[in-house]
């Protein structure tokens, strides 16, 4: 318990300092990340004139948790489907920038005669621009909605992904004395294997779990479940040789495909902000003023390298991606800084003990300087282009723009390329899944079966049972590997187009069948002592059985449909709530009709009417496909469906039909009340006199409500409260009633 007061004191000092400094930075419209770093610098042991943190070890532990939650939140905001939709252009730009800036970092490190690992890690740090800082700068400058800003953000998303991969690669390099190309390739394959495995299994299993317990989960439970999954994947990631941050990012990206993603993101944000603040404050604690003075030339050189390198190589990279010279320069100049991932990479190097102590504060100083210069670099892009345009020959500028913009952007790629790429991706995914199942079965099930059936005689039964179970488990994957895409649209077109295509198409089936046979062969080879010929024969027979088996086919299709449904669950939820258009809209466009949304006005004449009564189809030729009402969606409403104010109608029709419908829904409304002042309700006392026409009549017979548009709210009988006026009671002389109505109506009633 002795450590708790010190930890609480340190946290109090950190959070109070961070709160004060970030308020100042918020007032100055500077990134909050810099405020955290400055706060850390103020409470660090290197500052003798201010209070400092006592237990740095505990703070670093919390900072590591902060890195994990930061990357978990990044994964929640990331979707692998986004990268697929981006196309090749951002990928080309990102790879070019990372390679160029990494090489520049290594060269600068060698120029200052730093160690080999310092140079390698420095290259990784300089390659990572700051997503947070650039997003904030675009927002402050009012540029976030411009096209070039979207391109920059696409590249930053890819950089964040590659930063995770780079961290794993740097860890692998740091663990070996002299890593060669084989080790590098092995690390890349290992990353790819676990990445695909975790994503496929996670997207298959986690949405199913969340869907099954959705009725039991409130915000508190969902937060605990999400953070538990994050920590579990972080632990599992470290067990297989990766960082905890990598595992947290993967879990975040898996949860990003679920319906609960937005809610989880909001719930996790306070946790991320707390631990993220501690991480960035801990970054500032490592800044030693003496080191900054001693390495001032290196800091200046690195700042210049980032500014010039990103301006030149960044612009060139975006031109390779298909942008014009002006747009490319605006993108390249925007990325001239380093930020949070550079700190994370530096923290990794320190934790592994492979980089020098001076490198961390040097990188922090470089980040602070380049961050302050970011808005000026963004503004400088357009004047720099104008100056370049005046100095370079106009024909050269035109040639550069034409070269950049001439990259093909045809939506109809080569059919062979489409078909082969899909087959290769499917084969890789199903091979990874099959390999994972085999590894699990041989690691856990086989030893259990051998313990259950001990002895040499029963040893073969244990092997045989394990082998059969393994083949049954991987059979849907092997069948899908062989048969998927054999009846696709591309296959059919190529098959019918030319007889020359048929042999290569059959060859693709043969290659995939051989891969499937090799899995059966490997299982038999591990569990038996059969000859190769027998094992190959067994593999071929099993593969033929898998192809012909209806049950295996149904299981394969069921698993694939379930996976695709889980992958699309967030898109489906967005369509149901009207945030996204249905997928079939694209096919409607081919037939000159499309979907449009119309909100029913609050004063619509249609409210309370049924679709059958309104005859919208007969009048305007449109079809109401859905009604969105609050959080509910009514698909294919029938004629008895009632229209309510605020309903959103999804309507299918042509441009002319939808235009006429729009005019009708906007015009068929109650007219605006031009005498709204007269609508005020007032309360009046009415005494029934001897000559009143109401004497002897009941409330209904009197016509007070129907004729005079007023309402009797009570009868005064000398009591403290008004008595209710029964509907069957007759008015008598001397009755005192209280009436509510508009001024004119009350006056007409009183005058009667």
């Amino acid at each position: 318990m002795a450590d708790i007061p010190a930890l609480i004191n340190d946290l109090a000092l950190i959070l109070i300092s961070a709160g004060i400094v970030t308020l100042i930075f918020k007032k100055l419209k500077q990134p909050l990340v810099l405020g955290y770093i400055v706060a850390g610098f103020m409470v660090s042991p290197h500052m003798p004139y201010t209070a400092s943190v006592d237990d740095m070890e505990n703070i670093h532990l919390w900072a590591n948790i902060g890195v994990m939650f930061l990357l978990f939140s990044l994964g929640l905001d990331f979707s692998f489907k986004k990268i697929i939709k981006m196309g090749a252009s951002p990928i080309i730009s990102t790879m070019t920038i990372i390679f160029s800036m990494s090489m520049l970092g290594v060269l600068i490190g060698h120029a200052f005669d730093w160690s080999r690992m310092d140079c390698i890690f420095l290259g990784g740090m300089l390659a990572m621009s700051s997503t947070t800082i650039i997003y904030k700068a675009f927002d402050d400058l009012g540029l976030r909605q411009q096209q070039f800003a979207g391109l920059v953000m696409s590249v930053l998303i890819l950089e964040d992904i590659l930063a995770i991969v780079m961290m794993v690669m740097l860890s692998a390099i740091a663990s070996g004395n002299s890593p060669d190309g084989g080790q590098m390739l092995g690390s890349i394959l290992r990353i790819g294997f676990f990445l695909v495995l975790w994503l496929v299994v996670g997207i298959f299993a986690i949405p199913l779990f969340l869907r099954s317990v959705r009725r039991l989960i409130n915000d508190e439970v969902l937060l605990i479940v999400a953070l538990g999954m994050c920590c579990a994947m972080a632990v599992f990631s470290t067990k297989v040789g990766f960082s905890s941050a990598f595992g947290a990012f993967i879990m975040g990206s898996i949860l990003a495909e679920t319906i609960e993603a937005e809610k989880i993101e909001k719930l996790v944000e306070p946790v991320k902000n707390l631990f993220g603040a501690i991480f960035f404050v801990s970054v500032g604690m490592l800044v030693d003023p003496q080191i900054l003075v001693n390495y001032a030339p290196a800091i200046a050189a690195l700042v210049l390298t980032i500014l010039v390198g990103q301006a030149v190589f960044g612009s060139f990279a975006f031109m390779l991606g298909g942008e014009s010279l002006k747009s490319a320069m605006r993108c390249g100049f925007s990325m001239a800084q380093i930020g949070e991932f550079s700190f994370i990479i530096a923290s990794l190097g320190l934790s592994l003990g492979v980089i020098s102590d001076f490198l961390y504060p040097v990188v922090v100083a470089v980040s602070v300087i380049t961050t302050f210069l970011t808005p000026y670099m963004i503004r400088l892009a357009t004047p720099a282009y104008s100056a370049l345009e005046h100095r370079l020959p106009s024909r050269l500028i035109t040639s550069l723009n034409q070269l950049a913009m001439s990259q093909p952007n045809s939506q109809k790629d080569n059919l062979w390329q489409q078909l082969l790429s899909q087959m290769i991706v499917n084969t890789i995914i199903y091979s990874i899944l099959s390999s994972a199942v085999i590894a699990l079965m041989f690691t856990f099930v086989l030893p259990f079966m051998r313990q259950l059936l001990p002895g040499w005689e029963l040893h073969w039964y244990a092997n045989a049972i394990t082998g059969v179970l393994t083949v049954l488990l991987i059979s849907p994957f092997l069948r899908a590997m062989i048969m998927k895409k054999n009846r696709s649209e591309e296959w059919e077109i190529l098959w019918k187009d030319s007889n020359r295509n048929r042999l290569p198409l059959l060859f693709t089936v043969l290659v995939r069948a051989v891969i499937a046979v090799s899995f059966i062969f490997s299982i038999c080879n591990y569990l038996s002592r059969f000859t190769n010929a027998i094992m190959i024969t067994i593999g071929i027979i099993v593969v033929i059985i898998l192809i012909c088996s209806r049950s295996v086919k149904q299981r394969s299709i069921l698993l694939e449909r379930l996976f695709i449904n889980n992958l699309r669950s967030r898109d489906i939820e967005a369509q149901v709530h009207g945030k996204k258009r249905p997928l079939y809209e694209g096919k409607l466009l081919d037939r000159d009709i499309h979907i449009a949304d119309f909100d029913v006005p609050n004063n619509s004449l249609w409210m309370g009417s049924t679709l059958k009564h309104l005859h919208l189809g007969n009048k305007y030729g449109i079809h109401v496909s859905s009604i969105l009402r609050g959080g509910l969606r009514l698909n294919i409403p029938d004629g008895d469906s009632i229209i309510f104010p605020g309903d959103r109608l999804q309507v299918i029709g042509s441009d002319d039909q939808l235009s006429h419908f729009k005019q009708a829904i906007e015009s068929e409304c109650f007219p605006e009340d031009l005498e709204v002042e007269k609508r005020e309700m007032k309360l009046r006392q009415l005494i029934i006199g001897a000559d009143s026409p109401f004497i002897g009549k009941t409330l209904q017979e009197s016509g007070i409500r129907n004729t005079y548009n007023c309402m009797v709210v009570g009868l005064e009988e000398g009591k403290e409260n008004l008595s209710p006026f029964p509907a069957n009671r007759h008015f008598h002389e001397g009755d005192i009633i209280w009436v509510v109505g508009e001024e004119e109506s009350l006056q007409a009633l009183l005058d009667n």
Side-chain angles (χ1 to χ4, degrees):
M1 297 294 291
D3 295 336
I4 294 179
L7 177 62
I8 293 175
N9 289 336
D10 290 341
L11 284 177
L13 179 61
I14 287 173
L15 296 178
I16 290 173
S17 302
I20 295 172
V21 175
T22 49
L23 284 174
I24 297 172
F25 272 65
K26 189 74 173 177
K27 180 70 174 178
L28 298 175
K29 297 183 178 180
Q30 295 298 323
L32 296 184
V33 173
L34 291 181
Y36 292 138
I37 294 173
V38 171
F41 180 71
M42 291 173 56
V43 300
S44 71
H46 303 296
M47 291 293 290
Y49 305 109
T50 58
S52 60
V53 170
D54 295 327
D55 193 346
M56 290 291 292
E57 184 177 348
N58 275 331
I59 299 303
H60 286 314
L61 175 63
W62 284 53
N64 290 333
I65 298 174
V67 173
M68 187 172 70
F69 288 143
L70 279 172
L71 293 179
F72 179 62
S73 297
L74 177 65
L76 285 171
D77 195 39
F78 170 82
S79 172
F80 284 95
K81 291 185 291 187
K82 292 181 183 178
I83 298 297
I84 296 174
K85 293 177 182 178
M86 285 178 190
S89 178
I91 298 175
I92 294 171
S93 301
T94 305
M95 298 299 293
T96 305
I97 290 172
I98 290 180
F99 177 78
S100 302
M101 296 306 298
S102 297
M103 291 299 100
L104 280 178
V106 171
L107 292 175
I108 291 294
H110 280 301
F112 285 100
D113 200 25
W114 293 346
S115 69
R116 177 171 170 271
M117 293 306 298
D118 286 342
C119 295
I120 293 175
F121 272 79
L122 178 64
M125 297 175 208
L126 297 194
M128 295 294 114
S129 297
S130 173
T131 306
T132 304
I133 294 169
I134 294 176
Y135 184 88
K136 182 69 168 61
F138 283 158
D139 201 32
D140 292 342
L141 297 174
L143 301 174
R144 194 155 56 89
Q145 304 303 326
Q146 295 194 13
Q147 183 181 7
F148 88 95
L151 296 171
V152 173
M153 297 309 296
S154 298
V155 170
L156 289 171
I157 290 173
L158 285 170
E159 278 195 353
D160 292 343
I161 294 302
L162 292 177
I164 303 293
V165 179
M166 184 180 293
M167 289 171 60
V168 179
M169 294 295 300
L170 291 174
S171 300
I173 293 173
S175 62
N177 295 325
S178 56
D180 53 18
Q183 288 178 311
M184 295 283 288
L185 180 61
S187 298
I188 293 174
L189 293 176
R190 194 156 146 266
I191 292 170
F193 178 85
F194 282 103
L195 189 63
V196 173
L197 178 62
W198 289 341
L199 286 174
V200 172
V201 174
I203 292 174
F204 183 85
I206 290 178
L208 286 178
F209 166 72
L210 292 177
R211 196 177 303 146
S212 63
V213 298
R214 189 168 291 160
R215 297 181 182 274
L216 305 175
I217 288 184
N218 56 18
D219 288 351
E220 180 182 358
V221 175
L222 184 60
L223 174 63
I224 300 302
V225 169
L227 294 181
M229 290 181 178
C230 169
C231 295
M233 182 59 82
V235 171
F236 187 68
S237 178
T238 56
K239 294 294 184 182
V240 296
F242 301 134
S243 67
S244 59
F246 181 68
F249 173 81
I250 294 299
M251 180 52 66
S253 61
I254 293 171
L255 290 173
E257 304 298 342
T258 64
I259 293 176
E260 292 80 5
E262 291 185 10
K263 186 181 291 186
I264 293 174
E265 193 172 356
K266 292 178 181 178
L267 293 173
V268 170
E269 188 173 5
V271 181
K272 176 203 72 174
N273 292 339
L274 172 63
F275 287 98
I278 295 173
F279 166 71
F280 288 117
V281 170
S282 71
V283 169
M285 291 181 189
L286 295 175
V287 178
D288 188 347
Q290 187 61 44
I291 290 179
L292 300 184
V293 173
N294 296 338
Y295 288 89
I299 293 173
L302 289 174
V303 169
L304 191 63
T305 299
I306 292 171
L307 297 180
V308 177
Q310 286 285 11
V312 175
F313 291 107
S315 301
F316 175 71
F318 279 98
M319 286 189 66
L320 287 180
E323 294 303 307
S324 65
L325 179 59
K326 182 177 182 179
S327 177
M329 289 183 66
R330 297 185 75 185
C331 294
F333 277 61
S334 301
M335 301 185 68
Q337 81 292 116
I338 58 175
E340 54 272 11
F341 259 113
S342 300
F343 308 148
I344 294 172
I345 292 174
S347 299
L348 174 66
L350 280 180
S351 64
L352 295 174
V354 294
I355 65 173
S356 304
D357 293 337
F358 71 85
L359 191 57
Y360 202 124
V362 165
V363 169
V364 172
V366 171
S367 173
V368 171
I369 296 171
T370 54
T371 297
F372 277 118
L373 295 176
T374 294
Y376 303 101
M377 288 294 293
I378 295 174
R379 292 192 186 101
L380 183 63
T382 301
Y385 170 76
S386 300
L388 193 64
E389 190 178 29
H390 284 98
R391 285 170 173 76
L392 292 179
S394 59
R395 295 178 62 182
L396 178 60
I397 297 290
T398 304
S399 299
L400 289 174
N401 288 335
Q402 290 177 348
L403 178 65
M405 303 297 290
S406 64
Q407 298 205 8
N409 193 27
S410 174
Q411 294 183 351
K412 187 176 180 180
D413 297 325
N414 182 274
L415 290 176
W416 270 111
Q417 181 181 352
Q418 290 182 20
L419 183 62
L420 291 177
S421 62
Q422 292 170 1
M423 287 181 174
I424 290 171
V425 169
N426 289 332
T427 302
I428 292 174
I429 292 175
Y430 289 122
S431 296
I432 290 174
L433 292 175
S434 300
S435 301
V437 171
I438 292 172
L440 290 173
M441 293 295 291
F442 288 176
T443 304
F444 299 104
V445 177
L446 182 59
F448 172 75
M449 294 302 299
R450 287 177 175 175
Q451 289 181 358
L452 195 63
L453 301 172
W456 179 254
E457 295 180 355
L458 299 178
H459 177 80
W460 292 104
Y461 289 102
N463 288 2
I465 294 172
T466 304
V468 171
L469 290 176
T470 304
V471 171
L472 289 175
L473 289 174
I474 68 173
S475 58
F477 305 142
L478 297 184
R479 191 190 187 283
M481 183 192 304
I482 301 170
M483 302 303 295
K484 191 169 174 59
K485 295 300 176 184
N486 291 350
R487 294 183 179 179
S488 64
E489 184 178 353
E490 296 88 353
W491 177 286
E492 296 289 346
I493 294 174
L494 290 170
W495 185 272
K496 296 176 181 178
D497 184 56
S498 173
N499 290 333
R500 295 181 180 180
N501 291 333
R502 297 185 177 183
L503 187 59
L505 288 172
L506 293 175
F507 181 73
T508 61
V509 180
L510 178 62
V511 170
R512 287 175 286 156
V514 170
I515 296 174
V517 170
S518 66
F519 278 101
I520 306 298
F521 178 87
S522 64
I523 295 172
C524 295
N525 187 50
Y526 187 85
L527 298 175
S528 69
R529 294 184 179 179
F530 297 140
T531 62
N532 290 341
I534 295 177
M535 287 188 291
I536 292 173
T537 303
I538 293 174
I540 294 173
I541 293 173
V542 171
V543 167
I544 293 174
I545 293 173
L546 295 181
I547 293 174
C548 299
S549 173
R550 287 185 173 273
S551 62
V552 175
K553 177 181 179 180
Q554 291 175 353
R555 277 196 295 154
S556 176
I557 294 174
L558 179 63
L559 290 174
E560 184 176 347
R561 286 179 178 174
L562 188 58
F563 175 81
I564 293 174
N565 188 59
N566 289 343
L567 189 62
R568 293 187 56 244
S569 59
R570 194 172 181 182
D571 291 337
I572 294 172
E573 185 263 348
Q575 292 177 30
V576 169
H577 292 136
K579 302 174 186 176
K580 191 174 182 180
R581 294 295 179 85
L583 289 178
Y584 65 81
E585 183 181 20
K587 296 184 178 180
L588 292 177
L589 290 173
D590 295 337
R591 290 157 177 80
D592 297 325
I593 58 176
H594 59 95
I595 298 176
D597 295 346
F598 298 94
D599 292 327
V600 178
N602 291 330
N603 61 338
S604 175
L605 291 173
W606 297 359
M607 60 182 177
S609 301
T610 63
L611 292 177
K612 180 169 55 178
H613 174 73
L614 293 172
H615 300 294
L616 300 179
N618 295 334
K619 290 181 180 179
Y620 310 107
I622 54 88
H623 301 277
V624 179
S625 61
S626 302
I627 299 176
L628 281 70
R629 184 174 298 151
L632 302 176
R633 182 187 186 96
L634 177 62
N635 289 324
I636 319 299
D638 57 23
D640 295 327
S641 299
I642 300 174
I643 299 297
F644 290 92
D647 280 354
R648 173 166 293 181
L649 308 181
Q650 284 199 339
V651 180
I652 300 175
S654 65
D655 288 338
D656 291 339
Q657 292 168 342
L658 295 175
S659 178
H660 293 152
F661 181 77
K662 180 176 184 294
Q663 293 175 3
I665 198 172
E666 292 177 352
S667 61
E668 296 186 20
C669 299
F670 289 102
E672 184 179 358
D673 191 352
L674 301 179
E675 297 180 341
V676 66
E677 294 85 0
K678 297 182 179 180
R679 302 285 84 83
E680 182 184 10
M681 297 284 286
K682 295 184 178 181
L683 177 67
R684 290 284 188 272
Q685 185 187 65
L686 175 61
I687 300 175
I688 304 298
D691 57 346
S692 174
F694 302 143
I695 293 178
K697 296 181 180 180
T698 63
L699 188 60
Q700 184 176 2
E701 294 170 345
S702 68
I704 292 177
R705 177 186 289 268
N706 298 329
T707 304
Y708 298 99
N709 198 30
C710 295
M711 181 172 63
V712 176
V713 296
L715 175 67
E716 188 169 318
E717 295 180 319
K719 301 177 183 178
E720 183 178 354
N721 298 321
L722 293 177
S723 302
F725 197 100
N728 59 354
R729 183 185 184 278
H730 294 80
F731 286 99
H732 303 287
E733 181 183 353
D735 283 346
I736 302 175
I737 60 174
W738 289 86
V739 186
V740 169
E742 296 179 5
E743 182 66 30
E744 290 185 0
S745 301
L746 289 172
Q747 192 60 44
L749 179 63
L750 294 173
D751 292 342
N752 189 353

